[in-house]
Amino acid sequence: LAASAAAFAPSKVAQTSTALNAFESELGVQAPLGFFDPLGMLDNASQDQFDRLRFVEIKHGRVAQLAFLGNIITRAGLRLPGDIDFSGTSFESIPNGWAAIDAVPDKGLLQMLFFVGWLEFLVMKDVTGGEFIGDFRNNYIDFGWDTFTEEQKLQKRAIELNNGRAAMFGILGLMMHEQLGGSIPIVGQM
């Protein structure tokens, strides 16, 4: 009887140390998930590789926050006044979501592409070696950041990181629901 009960006892697992432990104290490792790397992208990663991935995560999070907010605002019916081009295509006539890609004139799409390229290559750069990864202030814009304590700065950076993560899932969800059709609360008819 004792031998059969031992079959259900938990086995001892050897404690192993991996390179992942090096990043378990980084900003963004928060409850309830803790350190979450399901694809193993940080297996045997250096600090430089981690910093690059964090930089990309922050940038994508900022873009996703703008995309999500833009999607919600246009679905609420708020549009820029006037025309998008000289031929009289009004901003009001541009539909929501993916349908807008086909409705925007080609020269307008090129302008957007060049604007995003300009932002990517000239503006969204850390040219002064900022205070932290993703610090694009470049000793120019402050908005009171230097008045915060170190604890407040870490809290605000964690909030931005988590809001960016949520926005990435949010905009993907909106794009997916738009393709599926139907309606969802707050947003309405897709």
Side-chain angles (χ1 to χ4, degrees), residues 26 62 69 78 80 127 179:
E26 291 286 343
R62 289 172 179 169
L69 186 61
L78 298 172
L80 293 171
V127 295
Q179 297 303 311

Side-chain angles (χ1 to χ4, degrees), residues 22-30 35 47 50-51 54 157:
F23 304 115
E24 287 181 351
S25 63
E26 291 286 343
L27 180 70
V29 178
Q30 298 166 338
F35 183 79
Q47 186 65 43
F50 176 83
D51 289 346
R54 175 55 50 91
R157 289 177 51 212

Side-chain angles (χ1 to χ4, degrees), residues 102-124:
D102 293 331
V104 173
D106 291 339
K107 290 181 181 176
L109 289 175
L110 281 174
Q111 287 176 2
M112 286 188 250
L113 180 70
F114 284 124
F115 179 67
V116 169
W118 177 75
L119 287 174
E120 180 72 23
F121 293 113
L122 299 175
V123 176
M124 302 292 281

